[in-house]
Amino acid sequence: FQKHEFFVDMTCEGCSNAVTRVLHRLGGVSFDIDLPNKKVCIDSEHNIDTLLETLKKTGKTASYLGEKSAQ
């Protein structure tokens, strides 16, 4: 899978919990949330549009940052 990095305007633990909730509901994803930097790194076979729409369901501003190169 490709790892994708998204910006999500998260300010607190509640925000990151909301992100976790919508991504779990979508299914088929593994992800890391970087709250201080407001980034969510998602490992998934879903396309970018689907992932972005899902992140926007939290009511937060979300945007696609690009592919995260495999380390």
Side-chain angles (χ1 to χ4, degrees):
F1 296 156
Q2 192 61 55
K3 273 193 183 305
H4 298 293
E5 209 165 28
F6 294 86
F7 166 81
V8 183
D9 193 19
M10 302 174 287
T11 51
C12 64
E13 210 47 44
C15 301
S16 62
N17 289 342
V19 169
T20 299
R21 215 164 30 246
V22 295
L23 289 173
H24 276 309
R25 201 171 296 146
L26 178 65
V29 295
S30 63
F31 56 93
D32 293 306
I33 295 176
D34 179 350
L35 188 56
N37 294 313
K38 304 187 177 190
K39 285 182 186 169
V40 181
C41 182
I42 305 176
D43 202 355
S44 169
E45 55 195 12
H46 292 289
N47 66 33
I48 292 155
D49 292 338
T50 303
L51 295 171
L52 197 52
E53 282 308 307
T54 301
L55 290 170
K56 285 181 176 172
K57 284 179 187 164
T58 58
K60 306 279 166 215
T61 305
S63 57
Y64 181 53
L65 295 174
E67 288 180 4
K68 194 172 174 66
S69 53
Q71 300 301 335

